[in-house]
Amino acid sequence: MTSSIHPAGSRPLRAGHELDAAETPRLWRVHHGVIGVVHDAAGIEERPQFLALPGDLIGADALAGLATPSRVFAVTAAELEAVACLDAASRHEVLSLAYAQSRRQGREIVRLRTGSVADRVKQMLLLLGDDDAGADESDVELPSLRRLADILDASPEAICRVIGRMRQLDLLGAREQHRRARVSTRALTELVPRPGMSSSLPCYRLDRLPAP
């Protein structure tokens, strides 16, 4: 079936940058990258309520008469496409897609914030490498440590130590580009995190993963 949703321009976002207040109420679709979305009328919440991945819509709440996001920011370098709803058919399509999307995003954020820190980091890396689903390895852009701590609801130190342990197990390796890493997707999928992965290990900076 042909989609009735039409693109209406694009907006690149560097990692850590967010949409201006005037842009936030618009309807967007993620072209590439990972986007964090915050709904907080008080404007004090740092943690995203959910993450938007390529193909996801942002701002469909307004079509249902609900409040639009208070903050939309790039977890990794991203590009958004503005979306135009020209008629009732396109609005219906957007709301149907947004409903199914919200259910998936709710499950994802629960997985990212429950269980051991090692399991949360594992889930995040798999999410970042989702574009290469089915491949043995993925090339991913790592968010900043502060952003990871917000998303995973874990301390930066614990996340660093898990990254170090995954590096020792050859589940994660450095790339030449800043903040990019090789993830052994298949091996990581099969990994069962054990207690202690986030303690008694060196703390590695995410932008300086040690070379093999």
Side-chain angles (χ1 to χ4, degrees):
M1 183 176 67
T2 302
S3 174
S4 57
I5 303 174
H6 302 281
S10 63
R11 172 72 155 85
L13 277 176
R14 289 189 294 170
H17 289 222
E18 59 185 90
L19 289 179
D20 297 332
E23 297 175 299
T24 302
R26 298 185 65 178
L27 179 62
W28 301 93
R29 178 162 45 195
V30 182
H31 179 61
H32 70 78
V34 179
I35 297 291
V37 180
V38 177
H39 285 270
D40 175 36
I44 59 174
E45 179 62 62
E46 291 289 334
R47 299 193 314 166
Q49 272 75 41
F50 62 84
L51 300 180
L53 306 177
D56 284 348
L57 294 164
I58 301 170
D61 318 67
L63 296 180
L66 302 174
T68 55
S70 56
R71 291 180 60 219
V72 174
F73 58 84
V75 175
T76 65
E79 182 177 2
L80 300 178
E81 295 175 334
V83 174
C85 288
L86 304 178
D87 50 33
S90 61
R91 288 192 293 273
H92 177 76
E93 182 180 355
V94 164
L95 290 173
S96 297
L97 291 171
Y99 175 72
Q101 171 188 306
S102 67
R103 292 171 63 86
R104 189 207 80 227
Q105 289 170 330
R107 293 191 298 269
E108 286 172 349
I109 206 69
V110 168
R111 285 197 296 268
L112 291 172
R113 289 179 177 159
T114 56
S116 68
V117 176
D119 198 48
R120 299 178 204 187
V121 173
K122 167 187 171 179
Q123 296 299 331
M124 187 68 189
L125 290 173
L126 291 175
L127 197 69
L128 292 171
D130 193 52
D131 284 348
D132 298 320
D136 289 340
E137 291 188 351
S138 299
D139 182 64
V140 304
E141 179 184 350
L142 297 172
S144 69
L145 183 55
R146 176 187 172 189
R147 190 66 73 195
L148 271 179
D150 284 341
I151 293 170
L152 303 180
D153 194 19
S155 74
E157 294 80 11
I159 293 171
C160 277
R161 292 188 176 99
V162 169
I163 293 291
R165 182 58 176 155
M166 288 182 172
R167 180 65 187 85
Q168 290 179 347
L169 295 172
D170 199 31
L171 299 172
L172 188 64
R175 293 293 195 205
E176 291 184 3
Q177 302 97 323
H178 181 68
R179 288 199 184 283
R180 299 205 70 86
R182 169 191 56 79
V183 177
S184 297
T185 312
R186 190 178 299 277
L188 186 62
T189 301
E190 297 171 354
L191 173 70
V192 179
R194 297 180 179 180
M197 284 189 74
S198 61
S199 62
S200 303
L201 284 165
C203 184
Y204 290 129
R205 284 181 54 180
L206 298 189
D207 59 346
R208 292 185 182 176
L209 285 174

